[in-house]
Coordinates of all heavy atoms in Angstrom, one line a residue:
R1 N -22.8 -12.2 1.8 CA -23.2 -12.3 0.4 C -24.4 -13.1 0.2 O -24.6 -14.0 0.9 CB -22.0 -12.7 -0.5 CG -20.9 -11.7 -0.6 CD -19.8 -12.0 -1.5 NE -19.5 -13.4 -1.8 CZ -18.7 -13.8 -2.6 NH1 -18.0 -13.0 -3.3 NH2 -18.5 -15.1 -2.8
L2 N -25.0 -12.9 -0.9 CA -26.2 -13.7 -1.3 C -25.6 -15.1 -1.7 O -24.6 -15.2 -2.3 CB -27.0 -13.1 -2.3 CG -27.6 -11.7 -2.0 CD1 -28.2 -11.2 -3.4 CD2 -28.6 -11.9 -0.9
S3 N -26.4 -16.1 -1.4 CA -25.9 -17.5 -1.8 C -25.7 -17.6 -3.2 O -24.8 -18.3 -3.7 CB -26.8 -18.6 -1.2 OG -28.1 -18.5 -1.7
K4 N -26.6 -17.0 -4.1 CA -26.5 -17.1 -5.5 C -25.1 -16.4 -6.0 O -24.4 -17.0 -6.8 CB -27.6 -16.4 -6.2 CG -27.5 -16.5 -7.7 CD -28.8 -15.9 -8.4 CE -28.6 -16.2 -9.8 NZ -29.7 -15.5 -10.6
Q5 N -24.8 -15.3 -5.4 CA -23.5 -14.7 -5.7 C -22.3 -15.5 -5.3 O -21.3 -15.6 -6.0 CB -23.4 -13.3 -5.0 CG -24.3 -12.2 -5.6 CD -24.1 -10.9 -5.0 OE1 -23.5 -10.8 -3.9 NE2 -24.6 -9.9 -5.6
E6 N -22.4 -16.2 -4.1 CA -21.3 -17.0 -3.7 C -21.1 -18.2 -4.7 O -20.0 -18.6 -4.9 CB -21.5 -17.6 -2.3 CG -21.4 -16.5 -1.3 CD -21.7 -17.1 0.1 OE1 -22.3 -18.2 0.2 OE2 -21.5 -16.3 1.0
E7 N -22.2 -18.7 -5.2 CA -22.0 -19.8 -6.3 C -21.5 -19.2 -7.7 O -20.6 -19.8 -8.3 CB -23.4 -20.4 -6.6 CG -24.0 -21.1 -5.6 CD -25.5 -21.5 -5.7 OE1 -26.0 -21.4 -6.8 OE2 -26.1 -21.9 -4.6
E8 N -22.0 -18.1 -8.1 CA -21.6 -17.5 -9.2 C -20.2 -16.8 -9.3 O -19.5 -16.8 -10.2 CB -22.6 -16.5 -9.9 CG -23.9 -17.1 -10.2 CD -25.0 -16.1 -10.6 OE1 -24.6 -14.8 -10.6 OE2 -26.0 -16.5 -11.0
Y9 N -19.9 -16.3 -8.2 CA -18.6 -15.6 -8.0 C -17.8 -16.1 -6.7 O -17.8 -15.4 -5.7 CB -18.7 -14.1 -7.9 CG -19.5 -13.6 -9.1 CD1 -20.9 -13.4 -9.0 CD2 -18.9 -13.2 -10.2 CE1 -21.6 -12.9 -10.1 CE2 -19.5 -12.8 -11.3 CZ -20.9 -12.6 -11.3 OH -21.6 -12.2 -12.4
P10 N -17.3 -17.3 -6.8 CA -16.7 -17.8 -5.6 C -15.4 -17.0 -5.3 O -14.8 -16.4 -6.0 CB -16.2 -19.3 -6.0 CG -16.3 -19.3 -7.5 CD -17.2 -18.2 -7.9
E11 N -15.1 -17.0 -3.9 CA -14.0 -16.3 -3.4 C -12.7 -16.7 -4.2 O -12.5 -17.8 -4.5 CB -13.8 -16.7 -2.0 CG -12.8 -15.8 -1.3 CD -12.7 -16.0 0.2 OE1 -13.8 -16.2 0.8 OE2 -11.6 -15.9 0.8
G12 N -12.0 -15.6 -4.6 CA -10.8 -15.9 -5.4 C -10.9 -15.7 -7.0 O -10.0 -15.8 -7.6
T13 N -12.1 -15.4 -7.3 CA -12.4 -15.2 -8.7 C -11.8 -14.0 -9.2 O -11.9 -12.9 -8.7 CB -14.0 -15.1 -9.1 OG1 -14.6 -16.3 -8.6 CG2 -14.2 -14.9 -10.5
M14 N -10.8 -14.1 -10.2 CA -10.1 -12.9 -10.8 C -11.0 -12.3 -11.9 O -11.5 -12.9 -12.8 CB -8.8 -13.4 -11.4 CG -7.9 -12.2 -11.8 SD -6.4 -12.6 -12.4 CE -5.7 -13.5 -11.1
F15 N -11.2 -10.9 -11.7 CA -11.9 -10.3 -12.7 C -11.1 -9.4 -13.6 O -11.5 -8.9 -14.7 CB -13.1 -9.5 -12.1 CG -12.7 -8.3 -11.3 CD1 -12.5 -7.1 -11.9 CD2 -12.4 -8.4 -9.9 CE1 -12.1 -5.9 -11.1 CE2 -12.0 -7.4 -9.2 CZ -11.9 -6.1 -9.8
D16 N -9.8 -9.1 -13.2 CA -8.9 -8.3 -14.1 C -7.6 -8.4 -13.5 O -7.3 -8.7 -12.3 CB -9.3 -6.8 -13.9 CG -8.7 -5.9 -15.0 OD1 -8.1 -6.5 -16.0 OD2 -8.7 -4.8 -15.0
S17 N -6.6 -8.4 -14.4 CA -5.2 -8.5 -14.0 C -4.3 -7.9 -15.2 O -4.3 -8.2 -16.2 CB -4.8 -10.0 -13.8 OG -3.4 -10.1 -13.7
N18 N -3.5 -6.9 -14.7 CA -2.6 -6.3 -15.6 C -1.4 -7.2 -15.8 O -0.7 -7.2 -16.8 CB -2.1 -4.9 -15.1 CG -3.1 -3.9 -15.3 OD1 -4.2 -4.2 -15.9 ND2 -2.8 -2.6 -15.1
E19 N -1.1 -8.0 -14.7 CA 0.1 -9.0 -14.8 C -0.2 -10.0 -16.0 O 0.7 -10.2 -16.7 CB 0.2 -9.7 -13.5 CG 1.4 -10.6 -13.4 CD 1.6 -11.2 -12.1 OE1 0.8 -11.1 -11.2 OE2 2.5 -12.0 -11.9
N20 N -1.4 -10.4 -16.1 CA -1.6 -11.4 -17.2 C -1.6 -10.7 -18.6 O -1.4 -11.3 -19.5 CB -3.2 -12.0 -17.1 CG -3.2 -12.8 -15.8 OD1 -2.2 -13.2 -15.3 ND2 -4.4 -13.2 -15.4
K21 N -1.8 -9.3 -18.6 CA -1.7 -8.6 -19.9 C -0.3 -8.2 -20.2 O 0.0 -7.6 -21.2 CB -2.5 -7.3 -19.7 CG -4.0 -7.6 -19.6 CD -4.8 -6.4 -19.4 CE -6.3 -6.6 -19.0 NZ -6.9 -5.4 -18.6
G22 N 0.6 -8.3 -19.2 CA 2.0 -7.9 -19.4 C 2.2 -6.4 -19.5 O 3.2 -6.0 -20.1
E23 N 1.4 -5.7 -18.8 CA 1.5 -4.3 -18.8 C 1.3 -3.7 -17.4 O 0.8 -4.3 -16.5 CB 0.5 -3.6 -19.7 CG -0.7 -4.4 -20.2 CD -1.7 -3.7 -21.1 OE1 -2.5 -3.0 -20.4 OE2 -1.6 -3.8 -22.2
T24 N 1.7 -2.4 -17.2 CA 1.4 -1.7 -15.9 C 0.3 -0.9 -16.1 O -0.1 -0.4 -17.3 CB 2.6 -0.9 -15.5 OG1 2.9 0.1 -16.6 CG2 3.9 -1.8 -15.3
Y25 N -0.4 -0.5 -15.0 CA -1.6 0.3 -15.1 C -1.1 1.7 -14.5 O -0.6 1.8 -13.4 CB -2.7 -0.3 -14.2 CG -4.0 0.5 -14.3 CD1 -4.7 0.5 -15.4 CD2 -4.3 1.3 -13.2 CE1 -6.0 1.3 -15.5 CE2 -5.5 2.1 -13.2 CZ -6.4 2.0 -14.4 OH -7.4 2.8 -14.4
K26 N -1.3 2.7 -15.4 CA -0.9 4.0 -14.9 C -2.1 4.9 -14.7 O -3.2 4.8 -15.4 CB -0.1 4.7 -16.0 CG 1.2 4.0 -16.3 CD 1.9 4.6 -17.4 CE 3.2 3.9 -17.8 NZ 4.0 4.4 -18.9
F27 N -2.2 5.7 -13.5 CA -3.2 6.5 -13.2 C -2.8 7.7 -12.4 O -1.6 7.7 -11.8 CB -4.4 5.9 -12.6 CG -4.0 5.3 -11.2 CD1 -4.2 6.0 -10.1 CD2 -3.5 4.0 -11.1 CE1 -4.1 5.5 -8.7 CE2 -3.1 3.5 -9.9 CZ -3.4 4.3 -8.7
V28 N -3.5 8.7 -12.3 CA -3.2 9.9 -11.5 C -3.9 9.8 -10.2 O -5.2 9.6 -10.2 CB -3.7 11.2 -12.2 CG1 -3.4 12.5 -11.3 CG2 -2.9 11.4 -13.6
L29 N -3.1 9.8 -9.1 CA -3.8 9.8 -7.7 C -4.9 10.9 -7.5 O -4.7 12.0 -7.9 CB -2.7 9.9 -6.6 CG -2.0 8.7 -6.3 CD1 -0.9 9.0 -5.3 CD2 -2.8 7.5 -5.9
G30 N -6.0 10.4 -7.1 CA -7.1 11.4 -6.8 C -7.8 11.8 -8.2 O -8.6 12.7 -8.1
G31 N -7.5 11.1 -9.3 CA -8.1 11.6 -10.6 C -9.4 10.9 -10.8 O -10.0 11.2 -11.9
G32 N -9.9 10.0 -10.0 CA -11.1 9.3 -10.2 C -11.1 8.3 -11.1 O -12.2 7.7 -11.5
K33 N -10.0 7.7 -11.6 CA -9.9 6.6 -12.6 C -9.8 5.2 -11.9 O -9.9 4.2 -12.6 CB -8.6 6.8 -13.5 CG -8.7 8.0 -14.3 CD -9.7 7.9 -15.3 CE -9.9 9.1 -16.2 NZ -10.9 9.0 -17.2
V34 N -9.5 5.2 -10.6 CA -9.5 3.9 -9.9 C -10.4 4.0 -8.6 O -10.8 5.1 -8.3 CB -8.0 3.6 -9.4 CG1 -7.2 3.4 -10.6 CG2 -7.5 4.6 -8.5
I35 N -10.7 2.8 -8.0 CA -11.6 2.9 -6.9 C -10.9 3.6 -5.7 O -9.7 3.7 -5.7 CB -12.0 1.4 -6.5 CG1 -10.7 0.6 -6.2 CG2 -12.9 0.8 -7.6 CD1 -11.0 -0.8 -5.6
Q36 N -11.7 4.1 -4.8 CA -11.2 4.9 -3.7 C -10.1 4.1 -2.8 O -9.1 4.6 -2.4 CB -12.4 5.2 -2.8 CG -12.0 6.3 -1.7 CD -13.2 6.6 -0.9 OE1 -14.3 6.1 -1.1 NE2 -13.0 7.5 0.1
G37 N -10.4 2.8 -2.7 CA -9.5 2.0 -1.8 C -8.1 2.0 -2.5 O -7.0 2.0 -1.8
M38 N -8.1 1.8 -3.9 CA -6.7 1.7 -4.6 C -6.0 3.1 -4.4 O -4.8 3.2 -4.2 CB -7.0 1.4 -6.0 CG -5.8 1.3 -6.8 SD -5.1 -0.3 -6.7 CE -6.3 -1.4 -7.4
D39 N -6.8 4.2 -4.6 CA -6.1 5.5 -4.5 C -5.5 5.7 -3.1 O -4.3 6.1 -3.0 CB -7.3 6.6 -4.6 CG -7.0 7.5 -5.8 OD1 -6.0 7.4 -6.5 OD2 -7.9 8.4 -6.0
K40 N -6.2 5.3 -2.0 CA -5.6 5.4 -0.6 C -4.5 4.5 -0.5 O -3.5 4.9 0.1 CB -6.8 5.1 0.4 CG -7.9 6.1 0.4 CD -8.8 5.9 1.4 CE -9.8 7.0 1.6 NZ -9.4 8.3 1.9
M41 N -4.5 3.3 -0.9 CA -3.4 2.4 -0.7 C -2.2 2.8 -1.5 O -1.1 2.9 -0.8 CB -3.8 1.0 -1.2 CG -2.6 0.0 -1.2 SD -1.9 -0.3 0.5 CE -3.0 -1.4 1.1
V42 N -2.3 3.2 -2.7 CA -1.1 3.5 -3.6 C -0.5 4.8 -3.0 O 0.7 5.0 -3.0 CB -1.5 3.6 -5.0 CG1 -0.4 4.2 -5.9 CG2 -1.9 2.3 -5.6
S43 N -1.4 5.8 -2.5 CA -0.7 7.0 -2.0 C 0.1 6.8 -0.8 O 1.0 7.6 -0.5 CB -1.9 8.0 -1.6 OG -2.6 7.5 -0.4
S44 N 0.1 5.7 -0.1 CA 0.9 5.4 1.0 C 2.1 4.5 0.7 O 2.9 4.2 1.6 CB 0.0 4.7 2.1 OG -0.3 3.4 1.8
M45 N 2.3 4.0 -0.7 CA 3.3 3.1 -0.9 C 4.5 3.7 -1.5 O 4.5 4.9 -1.9 CB 2.7 2.1 -2.0 CG 1.6 1.2 -1.5 SD 1.0 0.2 -2.9 CE 2.3 -0.9 -3.2
K46 N 5.6 3.1 -1.4 CA 6.9 3.5 -1.9 C 7.2 2.7 -3.1 O 6.8 1.5 -3.2 CB 8.0 3.3 -0.9 CG 7.9 4.2 0.3 CD 9.1 4.1 1.2 CE 9.1 5.1 2.3 NZ 8.3 4.7 3.5
V47 N 7.9 3.1 -4.1 CA 8.3 2.5 -5.3 C 9.1 1.1 -4.9 O 9.9 1.1 -4.1 CB 9.1 3.3 -6.3 CG1 9.6 2.5 -7.4 CG2 8.4 4.5 -6.8
G48 N 8.6 0.1 -5.6 CA 9.1 -1.3 -5.2 C 8.5 -2.0 -4.1 O 8.6 -3.2 -4.0
E49 N 7.6 -1.4 -3.5 CA 6.7 -2.0 -2.4 C 5.6 -2.8 -3.0 O 5.1 -2.4 -4.0 CB 6.3 -1.0 -1.4 CG 5.5 -1.5 -0.3 CD 5.0 -0.3 0.7 OE1 5.3 0.8 0.4 OE2 4.5 -0.7 1.7
T50 N 5.3 -3.9 -2.4 CA 4.1 -4.7 -2.8 C 3.2 -4.7 -1.6 O 3.6 -4.7 -0.5 CB 4.4 -6.2 -3.2 OG1 5.1 -6.8 -2.0 CG2 5.3 -6.2 -4.4
S51 N 1.9 -4.7 -1.9 CA 0.8 -4.6 -0.8 C -0.4 -5.5 -1.3 O -0.7 -5.6 -2.5 CB 0.4 -3.3 -0.6 OG 1.3 -2.5 -0.1
R52 N -1.1 -6.1 -0.3 CA -2.4 -6.7 -0.5 C -3.5 -5.7 0.0 O -3.5 -5.4 1.2 CB -2.5 -8.0 0.0 CG -3.9 -8.7 0.0 CD -3.9 -10.1 0.2 NE -3.4 -10.8 -1.0 CZ -3.2 -12.0 -1.2 NH1 -3.5 -12.9 -0.1 NH2 -2.7 -12.6 -2.2
L53 N -4.4 -5.4 -0.8 CA -5.5 -4.4 -0.5 C -6.8 -5.3 -0.3 O -7.1 -6.0 -1.4 CB -5.7 -3.4 -1.5 CG -7.0 -2.5 -1.5 CD1 -7.0 -1.7 -0.1 CD2 -6.9 -1.5 -2.5
I54 N -7.4 -5.4 0.8 CA -8.7 -6.0 0.8 C -9.7 -4.9 1.1 O -9.6 -4.0 2.0 CB -8.8 -7.0 2.1 CG1 -7.8 -8.1 1.9 CG2 -10.2 -7.6 2.3 CD1 -7.6 -9.1 2.9
C55 N -10.5 -4.8 0.1 CA -11.4 -3.5 0.0 C -12.8 -3.8 0.1 O -13.3 -4.5 -0.7 CB -11.1 -3.0 -1.5 SG -11.6 -1.3 -1.8
R56 N -13.4 -3.2 1.1 CA -14.9 -3.2 1.3 C -15.6 -2.6 0.1 O -15.0 -1.7 -0.6 CB -15.3 -2.5 2.6 CG -14.8 -3.1 3.8 CD -15.3 -2.3 5.0 NE -15.7 -0.9 4.8 CZ -15.7 0.1 5.7 NH1 -15.4 -0.2 7.0 NH2 -16.0 1.3 5.4
A57 N -16.9 -2.9 0.0 CA -17.6 -2.4 -1.2 C -17.8 -0.9 -1.2 O -17.7 -0.3 -2.3 CB -19.1 -3.1 -1.1
D58 N -17.8 -0.3 0.0 CA -17.9 1.2 0.0 C -16.6 1.9 -0.4 O -16.6 3.2 -0.7 CB -18.4 1.8 1.3 CG -17.6 1.3 2.6 OD1 -17.0 0.2 2.5 OD2 -17.6 1.9 3.5
Y59 N -15.5 1.1 -0.5 CA -14.2 1.7 -1.1 C -14.0 1.1 -2.4 O -12.9 1.3 -3.0 CB -13.0 1.5 -0.1 CG -13.1 2.4 1.0 CD1 -13.8 2.1 2.2 CD2 -12.4 3.6 1.1 CE1 -13.9 2.9 3.3 CE2 -12.4 4.4 2.2 CZ -13.1 4.1 3.3 OH -13.2 4.9 4.3
A60 N -14.9 0.4 -3.0 CA -14.8 -0.2 -4.3 C -15.9 0.1 -5.3 O -16.0 1.2 -5.5 CB -14.7 -1.7 -4.1
Y61 N -16.8 -0.8 -5.6 CA -17.8 -0.5 -6.6 C -19.1 -0.4 -6.0 O -20.1 -0.3 -6.7 CB -17.8 -1.6 -7.7 CG -16.5 -1.6 -8.5 CD1 -15.5 -2.6 -8.4 CD2 -16.1 -0.6 -9.3 CE1 -14.3 -2.6 -9.1 CE2 -15.0 -0.6 -10.0 CZ -14.1 -1.5 -9.9 OH -12.8 -1.5 -10.6
G62 N -19.3 -0.6 -4.6 CA -20.5 -0.3 -3.9 C -21.7 -1.2 -4.3 O -21.6 -2.3 -4.7
K63 N -22.9 -0.6 -4.2 CA -24.2 -1.2 -4.5 C -24.4 -1.6 -6.0 O -25.2 -2.5 -6.3 CB -25.3 -0.5 -4.0 CG -25.6 1.0 -4.6 CD -26.7 1.6 -4.0 CE -27.0 3.0 -4.7 NZ -27.0 3.1 -6.0
D64 N -23.6 -0.9 -6.9 CA -23.8 -1.2 -8.3 C -23.0 -2.2 -8.9 O -23.5 -2.8 -9.8 CB -23.6 0.1 -9.0 CG -24.5 1.4 -8.6 OD1 -25.7 1.0 -8.3 OD2 -24.0 2.5 -8.5
G65 N -21.8 -2.4 -8.3 CA -21.0 -3.5 -8.9 C -20.4 -3.0 -10.2 O -20.5 -1.8 -10.6
V66 N -20.0 -3.9 -11.1 CA -19.6 -3.6 -12.4 C -20.1 -4.5 -13.4 O -20.1 -5.7 -13.1 CB -18.0 -3.5 -12.5 CG1 -17.5 -3.3 -14.0 CG2 -17.3 -2.5 -11.6
R67 N -20.6 -4.0 -14.6 CA -21.2 -4.8 -15.6 C -20.4 -4.6 -16.8 O -19.9 -3.4 -17.2 CB -22.7 -4.5 -15.9 CG -23.5 -5.0 -14.6 CD -25.0 -4.8 -15.0 NE -25.8 -5.2 -13.9 CZ -26.3 -6.5 -13.7 NH1 -25.9 -7.4 -14.7 NH2 -27.0 -6.8 -12.7
K68 N -20.3 -5.6 -17.7 CA -19.7 -5.5 -19.0 C -20.7 -4.8 -19.9 O -21.9 -4.6 -19.5 CB -19.4 -6.8 -19.6 CG -18.3 -7.6 -18.9 CD -18.1 -9.0 -19.5 CE -17.1 -9.7 -18.7 NZ -16.9 -11.1 -19.3
V69 N -20.3 -4.3 -21.2 CA -21.2 -3.6 -22.0 C -22.4 -4.4 -22.4 O -23.5 -3.9 -22.5 CB -20.5 -3.3 -23.3 CG1 -21.3 -2.5 -24.3 CG2 -19.3 -2.3 -22.9
N70 N -22.2 -5.7 -22.4 CA -23.5 -6.6 -22.7 C -24.3 -6.9 -21.6 O -25.3 -7.6 -21.7 CB -22.9 -8.0 -23.3 CG -22.2 -8.9 -22.4 OD1 -22.1 -8.5 -21.2 ND2 -21.7 -9.9 -22.9
G71 N -24.0 -6.3 -20.3 CA -24.8 -6.5 -19.2 C -24.4 -7.6 -18.3 O -24.9 -7.7 -17.1
D72 N -23.4 -8.5 -18.7 CA -23.0 -9.4 -17.8 C -22.3 -8.9 -16.6 O -21.6 -7.8 -16.7 CB -22.0 -10.4 -18.5 CG -22.6 -11.4 -19.5 OD1 -23.9 -11.4 -19.5 OD2 -21.9 -11.9 -20.4
V73 N -22.5 -9.4 -15.4 CA -21.8 -9.0 -14.2 C -20.4 -9.3 -14.2 O -20.1 -10.5 -14.3 CB -22.6 -9.5 -12.8 CG1 -21.9 -9.1 -11.7 CG2 -24.1 -9.0 -12.9
M74 N -19.6 -8.3 -14.0 CA -18.2 -8.5 -13.8 C -17.8 -8.6 -12.4 O -17.0 -9.4 -11.9 CB -17.4 -7.4 -14.6 CG -16.1 -7.9 -15.1 SD -15.5 -6.6 -16.3 CE -14.1 -6.1 -15.4
V75 N -18.3 -7.6 -11.6 CA -18.1 -7.5 -10.1 C -19.5 -7.3 -9.6 O -20.2 -6.5 -9.9 CB -17.3 -6.3 -9.7 CG1 -17.0 -6.3 -8.1 CG2 -15.8 -6.5 -10.3
P76 N -20.0 -8.3 -8.7 CA -21.4 -8.2 -8.1 C -21.5 -7.0 -7.2 O -20.5 -6.5 -6.6 CB -21.5 -9.6 -7.5 CG -20.2 -10.1 -7.2 CD -19.2 -9.5 -8.2
P77 N -22.7 -6.6 -7.0 CA -22.9 -5.5 -6.0 C -22.5 -5.9 -4.6 O -22.4 -7.1 -4.2 CB -24.5 -5.4 -6.0 CG -24.9 -5.9 -7.3 CD -23.9 -6.9 -7.6
F78 N -22.0 -4.9 -3.8 CA -21.5 -5.1 -2.5 C -20.3 -6.1 -2.3 O -20.1 -6.6 -1.3 CB -22.7 -5.5 -1.6 CG -23.8 -4.5 -1.5 CD1 -25.1 -4.8 -2.2 CD2 -23.7 -3.3 -0.9 CE1 -26.0 -3.9 -2.2 CE2 -24.8 -2.4 -1.0 CZ -25.9 -2.7 -1.5
A79 N -19.6 -6.2 -3.4 CA -18.4 -7.2 -3.3 C -17.3 -6.7 -2.5 O -17.0 -5.6 -2.7 CB -18.0 -7.5 -4.8
T80 N -16.7 -7.5 -1.7 CA -15.4 -7.2 -1.0 C -14.3 -7.7 -2.0 O -14.4 -8.8 -2.5 CB -15.2 -7.9 0.3 OG1 -16.2 -7.4 1.1 CG2 -13.8 -7.6 0.9
L81 N -13.4 -6.9 -2.4 CA -12.4 -7.1 -3.3 C -11.0 -7.3 -2.7 O -10.7 -6.6 -1.7 CB -12.3 -6.1 -4.4 CG -13.5 -5.8 -5.2 CD1 -13.4 -4.7 -6.2 CD2 -14.1 -7.0 -5.8
C82 N -10.1 -8.1 -3.4 CA -8.7 -8.2 -2.9 C -7.8 -8.0 -4.0 O -8.0 -8.5 -5.2 CB -8.5 -9.6 -2.4 SG -6.9 -10.0 -1.8
F83 N -6.8 -7.0 -3.9 CA -5.9 -6.7 -4.9 C -4.4 -6.9 -4.4 O -4.2 -6.6 -3.2 CB -6.0 -5.2 -5.4 CG -7.3 -4.8 -5.9 CD1 -8.4 -4.4 -5.1 CD2 -7.5 -4.9 -7.3 CE1 -9.5 -3.9 -5.7 CE2 -8.7 -4.5 -7.8 CZ -9.7 -4.1 -7.0
D84 N -3.6 -7.5 -5.3 CA -2.2 -7.5 -5.0 C -1.6 -6.5 -5.8 O -1.6 -6.5 -7.0 CB -1.6 -8.9 -5.2 CG -2.1 -9.9 -4.3 OD1 -2.1 -9.7 -3.1 OD2 -2.4 -11.0 -4.8
I85 N -0.9 -5.5 -5.2 CA -0.5 -4.3 -5.9 C 1.2 -4.2 -5.7 O 1.7 -4.4 -4.7 CB -1.0 -3.0 -5.2 CG1 -2.6 -3.1 -5.4 CG2 -0.5 -1.8 -6.0 CD1 -3.2 -2.1 -4.5
E86 N 1.8 -3.9 -6.7 CA 3.3 -3.7 -6.8 C 3.4 -2.3 -7.4 O 3.0 -2.0 -8.5 CB 4.1 -4.6 -7.5 CG 5.6 -4.3 -7.4 CD 6.5 -5.3 -8.3 OE1 5.8 -6.1 -9.0 OE2 7.5 -5.1 -8.3
L87 N 4.0 -1.3 -6.6 CA 4.2 0.1 -7.2 C 5.5 0.0 -7.9 O 6.7 -0.1 -7.2 CB 4.2 1.1 -6.0 CG 4.2 2.5 -6.5 CD1 3.1 2.9 -7.5 CD2 4.4 3.5 -5.4
V88 N 5.5 0.0 -9.3 CA 6.8 0.0 -10.1 C 7.4 1.2 -10.4 O 8.5 1.3 -10.8 CB 6.5 -1.0 -11.3 CG1 6.2 -2.3 -10.9 CG2 5.4 -0.3 -12.1
G89 N 6.6 2.3 -10.2 CA 7.1 3.6 -10.5 C 6.1 4.7 -10.1 O 5.0 4.5 -9.7
S90 N 6.7 5.8 -10.1 CA 5.9 7.1 -9.8 C 6.5 8.3 -10.5 O 7.7 8.5 -10.5 CB 5.9 7.3 -8.3 OG 5.4 8.6 -7.9
S91 N 5.6 9.1 -11.0 CA 6.1 10.4 -11.7 C 6.6 11.3 -10.7 O 7.5 12.2 -11.0 CB 5.0 11.0 -12.5 OG 4.0 11.4 -11.8
V92 N 6.4 11.2 -9.4 CA 6.9 12.0 -8.3 C 8.4 11.8 -8.2 O 9.2 12.6 -7.8 CB 6.2 11.7 -7.0 CG1 6.8 12.5 -5.8 CG2 4.7 12.2 -7.1
D93 N 8.8 10.5 -8.5 CA 10.1 10.1 -8.4 C 11.0 10.5 -9.6 O 12.2 10.5 -9.5 CB 10.3 8.7 -8.2 CG 9.7 8.1 -6.9 OD1 9.7 8.9 -5.9 OD2 9.2 6.9 -6.9
E94 N 10.3 10.9 -10.6 CA 11.1 11.2 -11.9 C 11.6 12.7 -11.8 O 11.1 13.6 -11.3 CB 10.2 11.0 -13.2 CG 9.9 9.6 -13.2 CD 8.7 9.3 -14.3 OE1 8.3 10.2 -15.0 OE2 8.5 8.2 -14.5

């Protein structure tokens, strides 16, 4: 990573958390609503399982990263991301 990015976004910086919001995140696998790495990981999980996903940029937000509406960088370009995931339910099981 560029040294400026390392200063502005130190390792371990949290950019989003459903746990802090007290809600679960629902999405359809393969529906394009989550990054590719998340789709691949969740598709292999069982309900009740927890996993840590370390996701290269090409399976996350790539060269563009993510910006807020005001233009502030939320996820820098080429960022490697780490997610702790717990699969709490699946419509396949219902």
